[in-house]
Amino acid sequence: MAYKHSLEALNRTLKNIKNNTRLFGGALLLLSGDFRRTFPVIPRATYADEINACLKESYPWRSISKVCLTINMRVQLQNDPLASRFSEQLLDIGNGRIQLYEDTQYIQLPEKFCNIVTTKDELIKNIFPDVRHNYTDHACGYGSKLF
């Protein structure tokens, strides 16, 4: 979600600190994440404004070497087929290999993409099946006590 200006400011700062005109002052910089995920949030902006503000539109980005990881190690170590399937579905969405609804052009989530729950208690039970909860209302909203 970082703005392109943050990367450009870091580039200028490192050049000044290191007194070196090379990209990022010659320092090795490691950026990690899925840069397809979230555009910067700009109130009342258009889609084009959000794209223009993202890291991939910054001038230093053109000189960055991209290395892609191909194995989700967290999923592989869990050896859980459901987690593996979910990971693959997320990659399909990110890579644009998912069907769109014709009328809206929104993505059509795969069957059994997630578990739908109707209550907060059901959600907690699905996420934390081994934890018992005692919920109490507080003046500032909902609170919980674990025991």
Side-chain angles (χ1 to χ4, degrees):
M1 283 180 53
Y3 286 86
K4 69 179 181 181
H5 301 298
S6 59
L7 191 64
E8 294 166 1
L10 179 62
N11 180 42
R12 286 190 306 274
T13 301
L14 287 173
K15 284 180 176 182
N16 288 338
I17 289 172
K18 297 185 79 157
N19 196 25
N20 186 328
T21 59
R22 293 181 10 213
L23 188 64
F24 299 111
L28 177 63
L29 184 68
L30 175 65
L31 304 172
S32 71
D34 185 348
F35 296 101
R36 301 170 297 194
R37 275 206 183 152
T38 308
F39 290 118
V41 176
I42 306 170
R44 295 175 297 285
T46 65
Y47 183 66
D49 293 334
E50 291 174 345
I51 290 174
N52 187 44
C54 74
L55 284 178
K56 292 173 87 172
E57 293 296 317
S58 101
Y59 65 87
W61 189 267
R62 292 178 218 122
S63 303
I64 291 176
S65 297
K66 181 177 159 186
V67 178
C68 294
L69 302 176
T70 57
I71 299 171
N72 186 329
M73 294 305 294
R74 190 176 346 177
V75 170
Q76 187 175 16
L77 292 173
Q78 288 176 345
N79 199 23
D80 179 359
L82 288 175
S84 179
R85 183 168 179 250
F86 182 70
S87 174
E88 289 170 13
Q89 289 173 329
L90 287 179
L91 283 175
D92 287 344
I93 291 169
N95 291 328
R97 293 188 303 249
I98 203 87
Q99 280 187 313
L100 301 176
Y101 288 106
E102 288 183 27
D103 54 340
T104 61
Q105 293 300 300
Y106 289 164
I107 65 170
Q108 188 173 354
L109 292 177
E111 241 182 76
K112 297 186 179 183
F113 179 72
C114 60
N115 295 331
I116 305 295
V117 296
T118 56
T119 66
K120 180 174 67 172
D121 289 332
E122 191 179 357
L123 175 65
I124 292 168
K125 185 179 174 183
N126 277 296
I127 296 174
F128 304 107
D130 300 327
V131 178
R132 294 183 328 177
H133 292 274
N134 177 24
Y135 295 98
T136 57
D137 288 330
H138 294 284
C140 62
Y142 288 101
S144 65
K145 293 181 181 178
L146 301 176
F147 58 94

